[in-house]
Amino acid sequence: MFKKAQLERLFVSLVMLAFVSLAISIIGIKPDIFQKLQFLFLTVAIIFVTLIWAQSKTIQFNSNRLRKQIFGWLLSSIFSILIWSFAQKDIQSIFPSLKGYRKALNTLEPIAIYLAIVFILFALILSIVGARDSRLDRPGYIERTLVYNLSSKIAAIPMMLTSVGIFIIATLWTVYHSFTNSRMLPKSEFIGLAQYERLWSSDRWYMSIENLAIYGACSLVFSLFIGFLLAALLDQKTRFENTFRTIFLYPFALSFIVTGLVWQWILNPEYGVEKIVRSLGFESFVFNPLYNTDIVIYGILAAGLWQGTGFIMCLMLAGLRGIDQEIWKAAKIDGIPMWKTYIQVVIPMMRPIFITTLVIIAAGIIKVYDLVVAQTSGGPGISSEVPAKYVYDYMFSAQNLGQGFAASTMMLVSVLIVLIPFAYLQFGRRKYD
Amino acid sequence: MNSIEIKNLSLNFGDVKVLKDLNLSVEKGEFLVLLGASGCGKSTLLNCIAGLLDITDGQIFINNQNVTWYEPSERGIGMVFQSYALYPQMSVEGNLSFSLKNAKLSKEEINTRVKNASEILQIEDLLKRKPAALSGGQRQRVAIGRALVRDVEVFLFDEPLSNLDAKLRTELRVEIKRLHHKLKNTMIYVTHDQIEAMTLANRIAIMRDGLILQLDNPKTIYNFPVNKYVAEFIGSPSMNFIEGRLDGTNFEFDELSFNLEGYSFKEKIKANSQVWLGVRPENIVINEADKTMPVNCDVVVEVVEPMGADTLVWSSLNGKELRFTVEGNKIVNIGDKLNVGFDPAHVSIFDFETEDRL
Ligand SMILES: Nc1ncnc2c1ncn2[C@@H]1O[C@H](COP(=O)(O)OP(=O)(O)OP(=O)(O)O)[C@@H](O)[C@H]1O
Ligand SMILES: [Mg+2]
């Protein structure tokens, strides 16, 4: 029915699924259900071990390396069982000193059971497939995943824990609580989609999304375009290139708050551009974008571009510098005009840089918050609200966690909708390149 | 008829004078090789001809037309670079046809030209591939093809084979020679490699510090170098130089004296002038029978380097180093005392001060 390698892969996935269930139950989301789920996964994993054994029908310990590995897993499993047993009441009554650590031990208990089972399974499966593989003299999937380069895997554990902990578990936690009526503190009282209904019937949220769309589209197009243009100009063996580069990059060294304040002053009618032009004699000149609900987002856009474009330019310049000068010479001899060389030869060669830049710009767009706070605080009215501000305000000022979580979940969903096809294209294509 | 004519060309990069008042004319259909040490301005000269650098002074004619201020693409030249400089995102076909499409040629015309070029260079099977999927030799063929499709008068090569391994280099060298024979275009070829220069060239220009020292056919350059630098640069292993005094036709150094009757002097020599005597290692032979060569001396063997076909012997002549080659199957041992000799007709004599040929 299955190939051996497929079975092995399924086994590893089951162990991982069990781990995810365990993690979810530990953070307190429906602990009873997820604990059962975890044991279900582990049971199926055990069935898979038997299936794999049924196919190969050998349990051997014929190489020294293998014996060491199996021994190691068994030892770890005994250690886990020991920890588990310390959490049991009977053992604690024998060793009263353990009672002091009761709380910690109780938290560790489910992890210890999980690890004990999984380690025994690892030892078992290694003795089955490891035997086969040592005959073929080539390590199989299990051995490669579990044992190969063990030290680097151990070194990666903190990173993995952080990324799993923060990105996956915290995300799941947020999504889960967006279906509850949590207010100041997270609660587990389900109210279905009510938070989302409220979110999508709120004018402020609509305004935020509209603003983000305008800001995002414009800032993507303009910062790419202006950044590339500046880089291309600087690449023409410009004099004082270093000076220009420094000037363009300076704003990037400022924080968004400072940028926001600076631009608030520049755009302020009382002491900014309007004042200056009026003092030149044009008394009827009006320029106060930050007080005009229709164009306030463009005022914020200007500040964002001013700050971000220099950095984009530097990335692009680095990309342009990476292009072999002989390519330019060849294009000149072929009689290709410069703009055409840029579009048809140079920009396609800079694809990796463009992708990096795109990701950086996109991340900047999604998280735009402080610029708005510093310049307009979302005003006038709600006309310069953005989603990140909506989330922040509901979570920390309005003390409505559920609403904030619902909004951030919507942001996450929209990012995923954009990102998944993009990543798919990106990684899917690498195979053919 | 001259295909390329360069008059009083100078080029400065800021204060650095790279080319100094250089004159050169290349005949139609000629294969000219620019040879010289690194940094002597070969690439710079080629870029000036191609129009990729703005020259400081002088004029450049291609096909009797003053092209000094023409755009590179209008000069009727094609250029092949060391790093291939293919457009990586385009297929081979795209690379070949890019310039033609840009020049708005008809589809049929483009197709026939691409087909012709790829037939000549044997890259028909590669047309659909990207440059990344080609080997170095194949890439360089495509780069040559890109010049070929443009149907140009003059081909410029800037060290086209330097990035290839030795075997491929030999193969492509022969192919370039064949191509030249077939197309009969004018070609200017920059290289570091003497063998490439000697085998490919109709004429070789030896350059040093932005000047052409000697421009002649390979044989003449090899046998009659105009000065000591050229003599040293051409030939591997390089020429032996012995410092001494020239008295009539008698060359004296230390206690030894050679009679150089048979050497054709360019001018009358002052009596007792100080000179360099240059002898190529392959012109020195071991005297088997009784002193068959007009000039003889005794040497002690110090190092023996067998190279297969022949063996290079480093020996000491009265404490001075003398290199010579013997046939590969000859047995020479370190410490042997040998009598060697050479024919004065095959030596070169240079003035000690000016280092010019006498
Ligand atoms: N852009 C430049 N600015 C200043 N000096 C330069 C520049 N390009 C080249 N040079 C100088 O001009 C001289 C000639 O350079 P060129 O590239 O023509 O040498 P080359 O003979 O081709 O050497 P190689 O065999 O190493 O390619 C060198 O001394 C180099 O330092
Ligand atoms: Mg060069």
Side-chain angles (χ1 to χ4, degrees), chain B residues 53-116:
Chain B
L53 287 172
D54 286 342
I55 64 175
T56 313
D57 200 6
Q59 286 175 317
I60 298 172
F61 293 85
I62 294 178
N63 267 344
N64 297 322
Q65 199 170 19
N66 187 342
V67 298
T68 314
W69 300 110
Y70 279 28
E71 284 295 310
S73 54
E74 298 165 348
R75 296 185 176 207
I77 49 133
M79 191 157 172
V80 178
F81 299 92
Q82 179 177 355
S83 69
Y84 321 125
L86 298 177
Y87 311 127
Q89 309 293 331
M90 298 181 193
S91 66
V92 169
E93 195 171 9
N95 268 282
L96 294 181
S97 58
F98 192 35
S99 62
L100 305 181
K101 274 182 195 149
N102 192 61
K104 305 243 161 27
L105 263 66
S106 72
K107 265 234 169 68
E108 300 84 65
E109 177 69 18
I110 294 178
N111 280 341
T112 36
R113 285 203 198 181
V114 169
K115 196 159 164 287
N116 272 340

Side-chain angles (χ1 to χ4, degrees), chain B residues 42-44 82 158-159 190 192:
Chain B
K42 306 179 298 284
S43 302
T44 309
Q82 179 177 355
D158 193 353
E159 305 190 29
V190 168
H192 273 130

Side-chain angles (χ1 to χ4, degrees), chain B residues 147-158:
Chain B
L148 209 58
V149 288
R150 293 185 47 236
D151 208 9
V152 288
E153 187 62 35
V154 179
F155 277 66
L156 306 173
F157 294 91
D158 193 353

Side-chain angles (χ1 to χ4, degrees), chain A residues 324 326-327 334-335 340 344, chain B residues 47 81 83 86-87 98 102:
Chain A
D324 188 355
E326 292 195 339
I327 291 267
D334 274 352
K340 218 170 182 176
Q344 297 202 17
Chain B
N47 284 337
F81 299 92
S83 69
L86 298 177
Y87 311 127
F98 192 35
N102 192 61

Side-chain angles (χ1 to χ4, degrees), chain A residues 22-88:
Chain A
L22 171 73
I24 294 173
S25 69
I26 287 176
I27 61 170
I29 301 174
K30 302 274 171 211
D32 35 340
I33 295 181
F34 277 102
Q35 254 171 34
K36 279 189 194 120
L37 215 56
Q38 177 209 340
F39 284 109
L40 184 71
F41 284 133
L42 283 181
T43 324
V44 182
I46 294 171
I47 296 175
F48 271 86
V49 175
T50 17
L51 274 178
I52 294 170
W53 176 75
Q55 282 200 343
S56 69
K57 290 236 175 53
T58 42
I59 291 191
Q60 288 178 34
F61 308 97
N62 50 2
S63 87
N64 224 349
R65 191 169 55 108
L66 203 62
R67 274 199 294 271
K68 260 190 225 161
Q69 288 165 11
I70 293 169
F71 183 71
W73 291 119
L74 285 177
L75 211 66
S76 319
S77 138
I78 291 171
F79 185 71
S80 311
I81 293 175
L82 222 61
I83 290 180
W84 170 77
S85 67
F86 288 159
Q88 304 309 305

Side-chain angles (χ1 to χ4, degrees), chain B residues 256-258 283-301 313 315-318 322 324-326 330-333 335-343:
Chain B
L256 293 177
S257 134
F258 296 149
N283 289 336
I284 299 176
V285 293
I286 299 179
N287 278 329
E288 298 284 346
D290 197 27
K291 317 223 160 160
T292 40
M293 280 292 171
V295 177
N296 297 288
C297 53
D298 291 312
V299 297
V300 183
V301 177
V313 181
S315 67
S316 150
L317 165 66
N318 250 9
L322 189 74
F324 59 92
T325 52
V326 296
K330 191 144 197 137
I331 295 168
V332 180
N333 292 315
D336 284 0
K337 287 198 174 60
L338 298 171
N339 184 261
V340 296
F342 55 87
D343 184 349

